[in-house]
Amino acid sequence: MPKIWAFITDFFTYETTKSVVVKSRSVGIINRVVQLLIIIYFLCWVFYHEKAYQVRDSGIESSVMTKVKGFGYHNNRVMDVADYVAPTQGAAVFCIITKLIITENQFQGFCPESESKYKCDTDEECDKYLGRIITGACVNSSKGRRCEMEGWCLAEDDKYVSKPVTVENFTIFIKNSIRFPMFNVTRGNFPSSLNATYIRSCTYDPEHNLHCPIFKVGEVLRYTGQNFSTIAQTGGEIAINIEWQCNLDESEERCEPHYSFTRLDAVFQKNGIAKGYNFRFAKYYKNENGTEFRTLHKAYAIRFDILVTGLAGKFNTVPTLINVVAAFTSVGLGTVLCDIILLNFLKGADQYKAKKFEEVSESQIQILLSREGCSQLSIQPEEKISDDSGTVSLCLDQQL
Amino acid sequence: MPKIWAFITDFFTYETTKSVVVKSRSVGIINRVVQLLIIIYFLCWVFYHEKAYQVRDSGIESSVMTKVKGFGYHNNRVMDVADYVAPTQGAAVFCIITKLIITENQFQGFCPESESKYKCDTDEECDKYLGRIITGACVNSSKGRRCEMEGWCLAEDDKYVSKPVTVENFTIFIKNSIRFPMFNVTRGNFPSSLNATYIRSCTYDPEHNLHCPIFKVGEVLRYTGQNFSTIAQTGGEIAINIEWQCNLDESEERCEPHYSFTRLDAVFQKNGIAKGYNFRFAKYYKNENGTEFRTLHKAYAIRFDILVTGLAGKFNTVPTLINVVAAFTSVGLGTVLCDIILLNFLKGADQYKAKKFEEVSESQIQILLSREGCSQLSIQPEEKISDDSGTVSLCLDQQL
Amino acid sequence: MPKIWAFITDFFTYETTKSVVVKSRSVGIINRVVQLLIIIYFLCWVFYHEKAYQVRDSGIESSVMTKVKGFGYHNNRVMDVADYVAPTQGAAVFCIITKLIITENQFQGFCPESESKYKCDTDEECDKYLGRIITGACVNSSKGRRCEMEGWCLAEDDKYVSKPVTVENFTIFIKNSIRFPMFNVTRGNFPSSLNATYIRSCTYDPEHNLHCPIFKVGEVLRYTGQNFSTIAQTGGEIAINIEWQCNLDESEERCEPHYSFTRLDAVFQKNGIAKGYNFRFAKYYKNENGTEFRTLHKAYAIRFDILVTGLAGKFNTVPTLINVVAAFTSVGLGTVLCDIILLNFLKGADQYKAKKFEEVSESQIQILLSREGCSQLSIQPEEKISDDSGTVSLCLDQQL
């Protein structure tokens, strides 16, 4: 037989472990029960509940369009969308203004501050504010003596309290289209089965109108547990969460949004600062002389953040394979427990041990090696004696 | 030998499975072929195609800056960027206004509604609208009798149709810088090899100018399959997707963006509502008396959402190790198949079975135990007989 | 014994691998050292450092509220928040205007262009610009002859340089509330232990005021390594990164933000274009005749992008299990190395091989099969001879 042929013959062999089959009912039952438990665990928890056969992604691509509707009264004026929504473009983050502190007709110039912390008797008291827009002079104002400031005059006086706009009946229409880029699945936040008439007339409610994309401001506030009259006074930040939890192994139609509502500034409530939400903006005018003046608005608003999150899962070979291999291996690991029982606690444990373990010690190998030498010697005595006398003596020594 | 020494000797032993090597060519070939298939599967699919040696992340940090250029005509007036882009700051979401319904010089007051659904003959007919801004009176208007409203007068009349601005030749410059926080890799959407002259003069096209960050509005609409004249009339929402699929084991230079264009409101087309995109905004003025008035704009616009998504992968020891272990274990699982063939379908299956499995039954162990007892007995008869006669009888019983 | 009973007995058996225990100190030590190294690797790197027992998610839900404070001078006018912040609502992306090029009182009409590239001597030279808003006429202007344009007149002249607003002392207050939807953990960017007084007076600094949510513009620019006077002239884009790296197996209190500051347009610096950041916006006015005019502002601004990223990890059974199984299997793979040593390099390797591998060749099986046939023959000679004489001869043939 040539060498290459021997190599090929050697290569195409099949190696399998030699096993000891223990026909003991007790260990047998324990073995099968352990295996069953491991299989149940994998099937029920790992594969069914945790969906370990799926690859998952939370990187969602989302676009939100909003539209607010409603009319409100503020200072005996009617406000419409163009007046109370900011920014006006219908983005994912928008504010509904509930209260305005309006400082009309401000011109650039010099005037006394309005806040009481700028109270003064002499110019010296105003020096500490220098470097800002305080001029350092103490002047008379309608409220008593105040430090003089430079800038838009007269200064804002936010002590004036106006009644907030009743925005409770305003509605917010939300159009949200998302995509899971990893799986290239695109979805909209209301099913295509809803018709235009229904959508125009419905309002979201978690029980009967789960798919309606129109939200009543009052209801949203109620879901977050907020008191409307408080939030309308101080402003606030409300999150409308749209969660997409999609199992893409099922029909795409079942990939639907789930709405939830939280007050975003709730985490900061303990700090006792930054309660509510407000911002300042100005409308600019020019008089006949071409001089610019402005009306400053301090707007208390409810800010709505439409926050979209998603988690999609879809069957993929790699996690499936890894978990199947882990499952098989774990079933195999069940033998570890049974081995412990078999080899330690069972009657006849030593006999089982003897059956399972074949011991080879170095000394045995030594003996085998020497015997082999001797037997080789006895088989081919003529050849060996002449050139390998050392081996003979060694062999004889060891056999003694 | 002291006990501790025995323990150490026992500890430093090496345990390896005893194997049966089957020198059968048929099983050998099946074994190697199965192993080969498993190895090929792992190398080609799991490691090469699925890149299972990488840890991946889709959490991308992105900043988008946009700049629109172009001039358009609307109602015989020239509109520039400051007129038709909203918001003006060049954010990731911006609108290009294509059509404006302008209601000039609105003052707060009372006036008839303009929409035909508010048609009336008597005050009673208007009562159903009460509670909104409808006063409940039915008054004359230029279009016949209408319910009276309170608010900004005259009411908007959106029946008037103006010709949309031809925005097709406008260009959008997009600057997008991203970061994969997990891998701390920062990239920009155009390579640093592009020089200023090229960037100023190029326009994106997927074949010849893949890296050019300037997009022509008309082309973008064409890529989404939209008809320009329709979308200019009703408005619409267009997504410019920037996808970053980066293999960070390669050169960072090859981490490049891929642009795609979709119409965002396409998912809602079946619903037949909310076609197009529009929003209302107002410009506020003051007349000589200081009375505020406004011009209301209903703007039909194309809204562009620059949506950035990313998926980066980089070599990591943990997934690599898990998959290598899974690969090794799977190769081992190949024996399961071969065992089935060997022990069931091959000629001499029973002989192979006998070779592979060594059976130990409880009864054998019983016999062994009793024999051991007997041999112990025979070796040390004097000691045992006196105090352990029970064992003797048991031993004799069993040997019978 | 009925068949079903035999099956059950067969089923409740326990199969364990037969092992060879090699009592060789050298291999034993190698074996244990290899196992130890694998265990250390898994414990220290995979489990402790890489936290492979956790499931991780980078899909974060974030809401950002900002508020800028400060007063600045521009062209001898005092600017406040309503003047220099855009958009005014306090979103995650906002601009602080540092320089304004103001073109006052633009009316719709015809006028010469201002840029020197529109220089002309004859009308013909202006023809190349036709199709835009250029009329094609060459007219006189204060700067010499220029092509005539249609639109808002007079044309903007951005050569005029005004001194930028010193925004260095402005402060940015950031309120960031986040949620990890996969784990339903909500956090705010400053601990609830901070009280209102501290927050109102502190400024962030990475050493002493790590939790203060108020950032000084000058400091932020310094952290990014930017020169204030340059960035104020040309504008720029600054990212304030808020990174949430949370180990949710620990106390939630330790899930804290980490701030970092980068210049976003840094990646584009090599391209030499789009240096800085600016945008145009207009304020609209009406004169006594009701004619609209506007003041165009080209605003150079520092744009701040509050970019929030997060990576949370929490114990989960699936990755834990997979990694534990991988660890166990890897420890098992240590035998591969020891086997190689034992069977190839150790003295008595062939003896070990003979102990580990039991060879079964097809010819052996043939002999066994034939013997079995013969012994069956000898046991039941009367039955077999008559109908199975072929077997007898085969058996005899093989035994020869």
Side-chain angles (χ1 to χ4, degrees):
Chain A
M1 224 162 28
K3 221 171 178 184
I4 184 78
W5 186 245
F7 175 77
I8 289 171
T9 313
D10 271 9
F11 183 74
F12 285 112
T13 55
Y14 170 59
E15 192 179 302
T16 182
T17 55
K18 184 157 182 139
S19 299
V20 177
V21 177
V22 180
K23 295 220 160 180
S24 157
R25 208 167 305 156
S26 49
V27 186
I29 288 170
I30 291 168
N31 181 34
R32 295 304 179 192
V33 167
V34 167
Q35 286 181 348
L36 191 74
L37 289 177
I38 293 172
I39 289 167
I40 287 172
Y41 171 78
F42 267 92
L43 287 184
C44 295
W45 181 257
V46 177
F47 284 96
Y48 183 76
H49 183 265
E50 293 281 308
K51 296 199 179 54
Y53 57 87
Q54 291 188 333
V55 69
R56 277 181 220 194
D57 188 43
S58 62
I60 195 174
E61 185 186 298
S62 158
S63 165
V64 173
M65 203 282 292
T66 56
K67 200 156 199 168
V68 180
K69 277 192 178 166
F71 292 90
Y73 279 90
H74 189 261
N75 284 341
N76 299 319
R77 287 160 58 111
V78 172
M79 289 178 87
D80 64 9
V81 176
D83 297 325
Y84 64 70
V85 171
T88 53
Q89 290 87 26
V93 178
F94 63 92
C95 309
I96 297 181
I97 295 168
T98 55
K99 202 176 80 174
L100 282 166
I101 293 174
I102 299 172
T103 314
E104 301 237 31
N105 305 335
Q106 288 187 320
F107 285 84
Q108 284 278 334
F110 295 88
C111 57
E113 278 278 6
S114 66
E115 285 177 59
S116 54
K117 73 169 182 171
Y118 292 109
K119 246 180 209 165
C120 60
D121 289 317
T122 58
D123 288 2
E124 284 70 41
E125 287 178 52
C126 296
D127 285 353
K128 58 184 167 186
Y129 304 116
L130 273 175
R132 290 182 67 240
I133 51 158
I134 300 294
T135 58
C138 188
V139 294
N140 290 320
S141 83
S142 58
K143 296 172 166 185
R145 287 178 73 79
R146 291 281 189 281
C147 293
E148 193 190 40
M149 58 158 269
E150 187 188 352
W152 293 103
C153 284
L154 302 174
E156 183 190 78
D157 180 8
D158 65 1
K159 292 288 164 294
Y160 168 76
V161 181
S162 68
K163 237 186 108 229
V165 186
T166 46
V167 300
E168 277 170 304
N169 289 321
F170 291 7
T171 57
I172 304 167
F173 169 59
I174 299 175
K175 226 164 81 181
N176 174 220
S177 66
I178 59 127
R179 198 171 73 100
F180 288 106
M182 204 188 255
F183 311 110
N184 199 18
V185 168
T186 307
R187 298 288 298 151
N189 68 322
F190 45 90
S192 52
S193 56
L194 297 190
N195 62 33
T197 327
Y198 172 77
I199 293 173
R200 269 198 205 97
S201 62
C202 69
T203 2
Y204 172 85
D205 104 67
E207 273 164 45
H208 306 102
N209 289 294
L210 203 60
H211 296 306
C212 177
I214 293 174
F215 301 82
K216 221 173 163 179
V217 171
E219 291 294 293
V220 168
L221 294 176
R222 205 171 54 79
Y223 296 138
T224 62
Q226 299 303 312
N227 183 299
F228 171 72
S229 57
T230 315
I231 211 170
Q233 279 291 345
T234 62
E237 293 166 71
I238 301 291
I240 300 182
N241 290 88
I242 309 185
E243 269 190 276
W244 294 85
Q245 288 240 352
C246 292
N247 180 353
L248 299 177
D249 293 327
E250 293 177 1
S251 157
E252 263 186 33
E253 291 300 309
R254 299 186 57 184
C255 177
E256 285 174 347
H258 172 81
Y259 301 97
S260 62
F261 310 89
T262 45
R263 179 153 187 182
L264 279 167
D265 37 8
V267 275
F268 302 110
Q269 239 157 7
K270 277 190 194 159
N271 298 91
I273 66 133
K275 274 182 183 159
Y277 173 74
N278 61 69
F279 60 93
R280 283 185 180 82
F281 68 96
K283 291 177 187 166
Y284 297 86
Y285 309 100
K286 269 192 178 173
N287 65 10
E288 307 96 88
N289 317 326
T291 313
E292 196 183 29
F293 63 100
R294 69 173 196 183
T295 297
L296 180 66
H297 298 72
K298 183 176 184 179
Y300 290 86
I302 305 174
R303 183 172 121 167
F304 290 91
D305 282 37
I306 318 294
L307 301 174
V308 182
T309 52
L311 185 62
K314 198 174 188 178
F315 171 80
N316 184 284
T317 48
V318 174
T320 307
L321 200 104
I322 286 170
N323 280 286
V324 165
V325 165
F328 270 97
T329 316
S330 296
V331 168
L333 290 180
T335 53
V336 172
L337 179 69
C338 292
D339 270 358
I340 291 168
I341 294 168
L342 183 75
L343 304 175
N344 294 292
F345 304 112
L346 220 66
K347 203 179 137 195
D350 286 339
Q351 277 70 27
Y352 286 121
K353 226 174 240 175
K355 278 280 174 190
K356 183 172 162 64
F357 298 113
E358 232 171 63
E359 288 198 1
V360 198
S361 63
E362 275 179 329
S363 51
Q364 278 177 297
I365 294 295
Q366 293 289 358
I367 292 164
L368 277 172
L369 274 176
S370 61
R371 261 190 212 153
E372 211 163 72
C374 298
S375 60
Q376 276 186 333
L377 207 67
S378 57
I379 288 164
Q380 302 145 334
E382 294 83 17
E383 284 171 44
K384 289 272 162 173
I385 285 169
S386 53
D387 61 14
D388 213 331
S389 57
T391 314
V392 181
S393 61
L394 181 85
C395 163
L396 289 167
D397 290 345
Q398 284 178 333
Q399 281 181 322
L400 292 178
Chain B
M1 221 163 28
K3 221 172 179 184
I4 184 77
W5 186 245
F7 176 77
I8 288 172
T9 312
D10 271 10
F11 182 74
F12 284 112
T13 55
Y14 170 58
E15 193 179 301
T16 182
T17 55
K18 184 157 182 143
S19 299
V20 177
V21 177
V22 180
K23 295 220 161 180
S24 157
R25 209 169 303 156
S26 48
V27 186
I29 288 170
I30 291 169
N31 180 34
R32 294 304 178 191
V33 167
V34 168
Q35 287 181 347
L36 191 73
L37 289 177
I38 293 171
I39 290 166
I40 288 172
Y41 172 78
F42 267 92
L43 288 184
C44 295
W45 181 257
V46 177
F47 284 96
Y48 183 76
H49 183 267
E50 294 281 309
K51 295 200 180 54
Y53 56 88
Q54 292 188 331
V55 70
R56 276 184 222 191
D57 189 42
S58 61
I60 196 173
E61 185 185 299
S62 158
S63 165
V64 173
M65 202 281 291
T66 56
K67 198 156 201 169
V68 182
K69 278 194 177 165
F71 292 89
Y73 278 91
H74 190 262
N75 285 342
N76 300 318
R77 286 160 57 113
V78 171
M79 289 179 86
D80 65 8
V81 175
D83 297 325
Y84 64 70
V85 171
T88 52
Q89 290 87 26
V93 178
F94 63 93
C95 308
I96 297 181
I97 295 169
T98 56
K99 203 176 79 176
L100 282 166
I101 294 175
I102 299 172
T103 314
E104 301 238 30
N105 304 335
Q106 289 186 320
F107 284 84
Q108 284 277 334
F110 295 86
C111 56
E113 277 278 6
S114 65
E115 285 178 59
S116 55
K117 74 167 182 174
Y118 293 108
K119 246 181 209 163
C120 60
D121 290 316
T122 59
D123 287 2
E124 283 71 38
E125 288 179 51
C126 295
D127 284 353
K128 58 183 168 189
Y129 303 116
L130 274 175
R132 289 181 69 240
I133 52 159
I134 299 295
T135 58
C138 186
V139 295
N140 290 321
S141 84
S142 58
K143 295 172 167 182
R145 288 178 72 80
R146 291 281 189 282
C147 293
E148 195 189 41
M149 59 158 268
E150 188 189 351
W152 292 103
C153 284
L154 302 173
E156 183 190 78
D157 180 7
D158 66 1
K159 292 290 162 294
Y160 169 76
V161 180
S162 68
K163 238 185 107 231
V165 186
T166 46
V167 300
E168 276 170 303
N169 289 320
F170 291 9
T171 56
I172 304 166
F173 169 58
I174 299 175
K175 227 164 82 183
N176 173 220
S177 67
I178 59 127
R179 198 172 73 102
F180 287 105
M182 203 187 256
F183 310 110
N184 199 17
V185 168
T186 307
R187 299 288 297 152
N189 68 323
F190 46 91
S192 53
S193 57
L194 296 190
N195 62 33
T197 326
Y198 172 77
I199 293 173
R200 269 197 204 100
S201 62
C202 69
T203 3
Y204 172 83
D205 103 67
E207 274 164 44
H208 307 101
N209 289 295
L210 204 60
H211 296 307
C212 178
I214 293 175
F215 301 82
K216 222 173 162 178
V217 172
E219 290 294 291
V220 168
L221 294 177
R222 204 171 56 77
Y223 296 138
T224 62
Q226 299 302 313
N227 183 299
F228 171 71
S229 57
T230 316
I231 211 169
Q233 279 291 344
T234 62
E237 290 165 72
I238 302 290
I240 299 182
N241 291 89
I242 309 185
E243 270 190 275
W244 295 85
Q245 288 241 351
C246 292
N247 180 354
L248 299 177
D249 294 327
E250 293 176 1
S251 158
E252 264 186 33
E253 291 300 308
R254 296 186 59 184
C255 178
E256 286 175 347
H258 172 81
Y259 300 96
S260 61
F261 309 89
T262 45
R263 181 155 185 180
L264 279 165
D265 36 9
V267 276
F268 302 110
Q269 239 157 9
K270 277 191 194 159
N271 298 90
I273 66 134
K275 273 179 181 160
Y277 173 74
N278 61 68
F279 60 93
R280 282 185 181 81
F281 69 96
K283 291 175 187 168
Y284 297 87
Y285 309 100
K286 270 192 178 173
N287 65 11
E288 308 94 89
N289 315 327
T291 313
E292 197 183 29
F293 63 100
R294 71 173 195 182
T295 298
L296 181 65
H297 298 71
K298 182 175 184 180
Y300 290 87
I302 305 175
R303 183 172 123 169
F304 290 90
D305 282 37
I306 319 293
L307 300 174
V308 182
T309 52
L311 184 63
K314 200 175 185 176
F315 171 81
N316 183 283
T317 49
V318 175
T320 307
L321 199 103
I322 286 170
N323 280 287
V324 165
V325 165
F328 269 97
T329 317
S330 297
V331 169
L333 290 180
T335 54
V336 172
L337 179 69
C338 293
D339 270 359
I340 291 168
I341 294 168
L342 183 75
L343 304 175
N344 292 293
F345 303 112
L346 220 66
K347 205 178 133 192
D350 286 338
Q351 276 71 25
Y352 286 122
K353 227 175 240 175
K355 277 281 175 188
K356 181 171 166 65
F357 297 113
E358 232 171 64
E359 288 198 2
V360 198
S361 65
E362 276 180 328
S363 50
Q364 280 177 296
I365 295 295
Q366 293 289 359
I367 292 164
L368 278 172
L369 277 176
S370 61
R371 261 190 213 152
E372 212 164 73
C374 300
S375 60
Q376 278 186 333
L377 208 68
S378 55
I379 289 161
Q380 302 147 336
E382 293 84 15
E383 283 169 46
K384 289 275 163 173
I385 285 170
S386 52
D387 61 14
D388 212 333
S389 58
T391 312
V392 180
S393 59
L394 180 84
C395 164
L396 289 167
D397 289 346
Q398 283 179 335
Q399 279 182 324
L400 290 176
Chain C
M1 222 162 28
K3 221 171 177 185
I4 185 76
W5 186 245
F7 175 78
I8 289 170
T9 314
D10 272 9
F11 183 74
F12 284 111
T13 55
Y14 169 60
E15 193 179 301
T16 182
T17 55
K18 186 158 179 138
S19 300
V20 178
V21 177
V22 180
K23 296 221 159 180
S24 157
R25 207 167 306 156
S26 50
V27 186
I29 289 170
I30 291 169
N31 179 35
R32 295 303 178 194
V33 167
V34 168
Q35 286 180 350
L36 191 73
L37 289 177
I38 293 172
I39 289 166
I40 287 172
Y41 172 79
F42 267 92
L43 288 183
C44 295
W45 181 257
V46 178
F47 284 97
Y48 183 76
H49 182 266
E50 294 281 309
K51 295 198 179 57
Y53 57 87
Q54 291 189 332
V55 70
R56 276 183 222 190
D57 190 41
S58 62
I60 195 175
E61 184 185 299
S62 158
S63 165
V64 173
M65 204 280 292
T66 56
K67 199 157 199 168
V68 181
K69 277 191 177 166
F71 292 90
Y73 279 91
H74 190 262
N75 286 340
N76 299 318
R77 288 160 57 112
V78 172
M79 291 179 85
D80 66 8
V81 175
D83 296 326
Y84 64 69
V85 172
T88 52
Q89 289 86 27
V93 178
F94 63 92
C95 308
I96 297 181
I97 295 168
T98 54
K99 202 177 79 175
L100 281 167
I101 295 175
I102 300 173
T103 315
E104 301 238 30
N105 304 335
Q106 289 187 321
F107 284 84
Q108 284 278 333
F110 295 88
C111 56
E113 277 278 7
S114 66
E115 284 178 59
S116 54
K117 73 168 180 172
Y118 293 108
K119 246 179 209 163
C120 60
D121 289 315
T122 58
D123 288 3
E124 283 69 41
E125 286 178 54
C126 295
D127 285 354
K128 57 184 170 190
Y129 302 117
L130 274 174
R132 288 182 68 240
I133 52 158
I134 299 296
T135 58
C138 188
V139 295
N140 290 321
S141 84
S142 59
K143 295 172 167 182
R145 288 178 72 80
R146 290 280 190 282
C147 294
E148 194 191 42
M149 57 156 270
E150 188 189 349
W152 293 102
C153 284
L154 301 176
E156 182 189 80
D157 179 8
D158 65 0
K159 292 290 162 296
Y160 169 77
V161 182
S162 68
K163 237 186 109 229
V165 186
T166 46
V167 300
E168 277 171 303
N169 289 321
F170 291 8
T171 56
I172 304 166
F173 170 58
I174 299 175
K175 226 164 81 182
N176 173 221
S177 66
I178 58 127
R179 198 172 73 101
F180 288 105
M182 202 188 255
F183 311 110
N184 199 18
V185 168
T186 306
R187 298 289 296 150
N189 69 322
F190 46 90
S192 52
S193 56
L194 297 191
N195 62 33
T197 327
Y198 172 76
I199 293 174
R200 267 197 205 99
S201 61
C202 68
T203 3
Y204 172 85
D205 102 67
E207 274 165 44
H208 307 101
N209 289 294
L210 205 59
H211 296 306
C212 177
I214 293 174
F215 301 82
K216 220 172 166 178
V217 172
E219 289 295 291
V220 168
L221 294 177
R222 204 171 56 78
Y223 296 138
T224 62
Q226 299 301 312
N227 183 299
F228 171 71
S229 56
T230 316
I231 212 170
Q233 279 290 346
T234 62
E237 292 166 71
I238 302 290
I240 300 181
N241 290 88
I242 309 184
E243 270 191 274
W244 294 85
Q245 288 240 352
C246 292
N247 180 354
L248 299 177
D249 293 327
E250 292 176 2
S251 157
E252 264 184 34
E253 291 300 309
R254 298 187 56 184
C255 177
E256 285 175 346
H258 172 81
Y259 301 96
S260 62
F261 311 89
T262 45
R263 179 156 188 180
L264 280 167
D265 36 8
V267 275
F268 302 110
Q269 239 158 5
K270 276 190 195 162
N271 298 91
I273 66 136
K275 273 181 183 159
Y277 173 73
N278 62 69
F279 60 93
R280 283 184 181 82
F281 69 96
K283 291 177 186 167
Y284 297 87
Y285 308 101
K286 269 192 179 173
N287 65 11
E288 309 95 87
N289 316 326
T291 313
E292 196 182 29
F293 64 100
R294 71 173 195 183
T295 296
L296 180 65
H297 298 71
K298 181 174 184 180
Y300 290 86
I302 304 174
R303 183 172 122 168
F304 290 91
D305 282 37
I306 319 294
L307 300 174
V308 182
T309 52
L311 184 62
K314 199 175 187 176
F315 171 81
N316 182 284
T317 50
V318 174
T320 307
L321 200 103
I322 286 171
N323 280 287
V324 166
V325 165
F328 270 98
T329 316
S330 296
V331 168
L333 289 180
T335 53
V336 172
L337 179 69
C338 292
D339 270 358
I340 290 168
I341 295 168
L342 183 74
L343 304 176
N344 293 291
F345 303 112
L346 219 66
K347 204 178 135 192
D350 286 338
Q351 276 70 27
Y352 286 122
K353 227 175 241 175
K355 277 280 174 189
K356 181 173 163 66
F357 298 113
E358 231 170 64
E359 286 199 3
V360 198
S361 63
E362 274 180 331
S363 49
Q364 279 177 297
I365 295 294
Q366 291 291 358
I367 292 164
L368 279 173
L369 275 175
S370 61
R371 260 190 213 152
E372 213 164 70
C374 301
S375 61
Q376 277 185 332
L377 208 68
S378 57
I379 287 161
Q380 302 143 337
E382 294 83 18
E383 283 171 45
K384 287 275 166 175
I385 285 170
S386 53
D387 60 12
D388 214 331
S389 57
T391 314
V392 181
S393 60
L394 181 83
C395 164
L396 290 167
D397 290 346
Q398 285 178 334
Q399 281 182 322
L400 292 176

